[in-house]
Each structure stands twice: as C-alpha cells, then as structure tokens.
Amino acid sequence: PGVLDDARQRLDRLRFVDAVADEQRGDEVVDALSLITHRDEAYRVGDARGCAAVFHRDGQLYSPYGPPALGRDAIRALHEDWVAEGGE
C-alpha cells in the first residue's frame, strides 16, 4: 500500500464522519485531498511548478526544511530546490 492508498483510507474514514456531521464539509475534504494528491504527484515527477500551483498566489509555506516561502513564486523556488535534491 502506498501513500495514495493511505490517503484513500483516511478519506473513507472522513467521509463516514462527514455523513454523520455535515455534508458540505465532505466536499471540502475531497477538494483538499485532490490538492494534496496533485501536489504529491507533481513532487514525485519533479514538477516544482505543479507543486506550487496548489497554493494561492499570496500563499505562505513554512517548513523545517527551508526558509519561509512567501508567495507562489517563492514556494515554486523552494520546491525547485527540493525536487532537485530528490528529497521526500
């Protein structure tokens, strides 16, 4: 089982909780999972622009693996470093 299988299992659990709680929230969870899946796939193939595309143009990324990245261009640049290093 890979990362995507784990994410699908988590989504199934969230969908169950959502069915009990609030139907609209489930749509937001699916949207969030879609963004995460897109980012992960872009990272896997070394596509820094694709990684950054899931962030708002004024987005911010704080990571223990690099300096704060403020704005999509800075987020893309940080991902360019990460994919060049082949990091996880």
Side-chain angles (χ1 to χ4, degrees):
V3 172
L4 189 54
D5 292 329
D6 292 342
R8 285 186 179 131
Q9 288 176 356
R10 286 193 304 272
L11 179 60
D12 287 342
R13 287 192 297 274
L14 288 171
R15 283 185 178 149
F16 174 77
V17 170
D18 177 63
V20 174
D22 176 5
E23 188 172 315
Q24 177 61 34
R25 189 177 141 271
D27 293 341
E28 293 169 3
V29 169
V30 171
D31 291 344
L33 180 61
S34 175
L35 289 173
I36 292 167
T37 300
H38 174 85
R39 188 220 40 219
D40 290 351
E41 179 61 18
Y43 189 81
R44 189 182 69 75
V45 299
D47 178 10
R49 183 176 300 279
C51 292
V54 302
F55 289 85
H56 186 273
R57 69 178 174 269
D58 296 326
Q60 300 177 8
L61 176 62
Y62 296 89
S63 169
Y65 304 109
L70 308 177
R72 190 182 296 139
D73 291 338
I75 292 169
R76 185 189 71 243
L78 187 57
H79 277 88
E80 286 171 351
D81 291 343
W82 290 345
V83 300
E85 295 170 1
E88 293 287 319

